[in-house]
């Protein structure tokens, strides 16, 4: 079985890492993600996020996932997950996602790695390896506190300066550990995007602002009301 993520090694220089694990030269059959952080080790979710995962899975157990339960549908939403993560457990770890064309990936990935070690980004960044099914790579920039708006603005600025021009989405790290994605989420809800930045822009939109812009309907309810 392929490893989920291949990381920069402790003691390995940045040029050595970029040469050994280039996203363009590394293929998708080798790993799902390539990652680098300031310590050279894999960064795990904090205890608060893990508690959210445990509680959310219990709440979403099969016996409670009744397709006719409208209240359940409304509770398991963007705002519900956000409140459960931050208000109840104090966890606010997240990931910014974007996409980069393969022709630009070497330069952009190198710039992102440099930004990480120049303290323009926080602890960890990731990129997908080359996949013959697509000409793009996904990049993920992790943050320790998605509720800190000035911090997120600095991160978005650094991502743009590195050359990422695609739209950007921020999701809670707990959602990743819960495997909440648009194609697997109950009833097809787009439940994971907390913040959004339009293509080539810097301004961060919250879910409510975005829903007004594109007429997408989001139900805002706190999961903690039901827990």
């Amino acid at each position: 079985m392929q490893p989920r993520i291949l990381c920069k090694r402790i003691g390995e220089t940045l040029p050595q890492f970029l040469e050994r694990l280039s996203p363009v030269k590394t293929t998708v059959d080798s790993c799902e993600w390539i990652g680098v952080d300031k310590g050279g080790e894999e960064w795990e979710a904090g205890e608060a996020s893990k508690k959210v995962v445990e509680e959310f899975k219990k709440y979403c157990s099969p016996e409670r996932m009744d397709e006719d339960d409208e209240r359940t549908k409304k509770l398991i939403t963007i705002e519900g997950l956000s409140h459960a993560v931050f208000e109840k457990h104090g966890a606010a770890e997240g990931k910014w996602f974007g996409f980069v064309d393969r022709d630009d990936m070497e330069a952009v990935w190198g710039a992102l790695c440099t930004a990480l070690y120049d303290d323009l980004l926080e602890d960890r960044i990731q990129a997908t390896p080359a996949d013959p099914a697509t000409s793009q790579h996904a990049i993920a920039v992790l943050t320790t506190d998605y509720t800190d708006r000035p911090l997120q603005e600095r991160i978005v600025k650094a991502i743009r300066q590195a050359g990422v021009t695609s739209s950007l989405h921020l999701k809670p790290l707990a959602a990743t550990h819960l495997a909440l994605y648009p194609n697997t989420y109950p009833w097809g809800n787009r439940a994971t995007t907390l913040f959004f930045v339009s293509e080539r822009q810097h301004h961060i939109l919250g879910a409510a602002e975005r829903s007004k812009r594109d007429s997408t309907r989001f139900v805002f309810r706190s999961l903690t009301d039901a827990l």
Side-chain angles (χ1 to χ4, degrees):
M1 179 182 294
Q2 69 178 35
R4 182 176 184 278
I5 185 166
L6 294 176
C7 299
K8 179 180 177 295
R9 297 166 179 163
I10 294 176
E12 187 175 37
T13 66
L14 188 55
Q16 289 172 336
F17 164 73
L18 292 173
E19 176 61 28
R20 180 175 66 88
L21 285 177
S22 159
V24 174
K25 298 176 183 176
T26 305
T27 57
V28 71
D29 58 347
S30 301
C31 61
E32 294 181 29
W33 289 93
I34 296 169
V36 56
D37 66 26
K38 294 173 185 176
E41 297 176 340
E42 185 159 356
W43 189 56
E44 296 184 353
E47 289 302 315
S49 285
K50 292 177 182 178
K51 289 179 181 177
V52 169
V53 170
E54 293 172 5
E55 191 157 12
F56 200 81
K57 283 184 176 179
K58 185 185 299 182
Y59 181 78
C60 296
S61 60
E63 57 270 21
R64 299 195 67 172
M65 297 291 280
D66 184 350
E67 291 185 1
D68 296 323
D69 186 348
E70 291 298 325
R71 184 167 178 271
T72 301
K73 292 181 185 180
K74 290 180 180 180
L75 286 167
I76 307 175
T77 60
I78 301 170
E79 193 79 354
L81 182 57
S82 174
H83 280 286
V85 171
F86 182 64
E87 290 183 3
K88 184 158 187 173
H89 296 289
E93 300 157 316
K95 282 184 179 182
W96 281 103
F97 282 95
F99 294 90
V100 179
D101 290 337
R102 183 153 302 137
D103 289 345
D104 302 323
M105 187 58 186
E106 290 278 18
V108 171
W109 180 239
L112 284 170
C113 290
T114 300
L116 179 72
Y117 281 91
D118 285 345
D119 293 325
L120 299 176
L121 300 173
E122 287 192 272
D123 294 325
R124 184 177 182 80
I125 56 176
Q126 298 174 182
T128 53
D131 184 345
T134 177
S135 61
Q136 290 188 316
H137 295 258
I139 59 101
V141 176
L142 279 71
T143 177
T144 56
D145 187 356
Y146 61 69
T147 67
D148 185 336
R149 189 66 171 240
L151 171 62
Q152 300 315 313
E153 289 172 351
R154 292 197 299 272
I155 290 174
V156 168
K157 181 179 179 180
I159 293 172
R160 289 296 189 225
Q161 288 178 336
V164 181
T165 60
S166 72
S167 59
L168 303 172
H169 302 255
L170 185 141
K171 63 183 285 186
L173 192 59
T176 297
H177 291 280
L178 286 165
L180 295 181
Y181 304 102
N183 60 335
T184 60
Y185 194 72
W187 315 290
N189 295 10
R190 291 188 63 84
T192 56
T193 297
L194 290 172
F195 299 117
F196 175 80
V197 180
S198 299
E199 185 176 348
R200 299 181 184 276
Q201 301 300 309
H202 290 74
H203 180 63
I204 298 174
L205 295 173
E209 297 171 282
R210 187 189 178 198
S211 65
K212 291 177 183 177
R213 188 205 62 182
D214 62 12
S215 300
T216 302
R217 179 175 175 272
F218 293 103
V219 181
F220 297 109
R221 288 290 301 277
S222 173
L223 180 61
T224 55
D225 292 340
L227 295 177

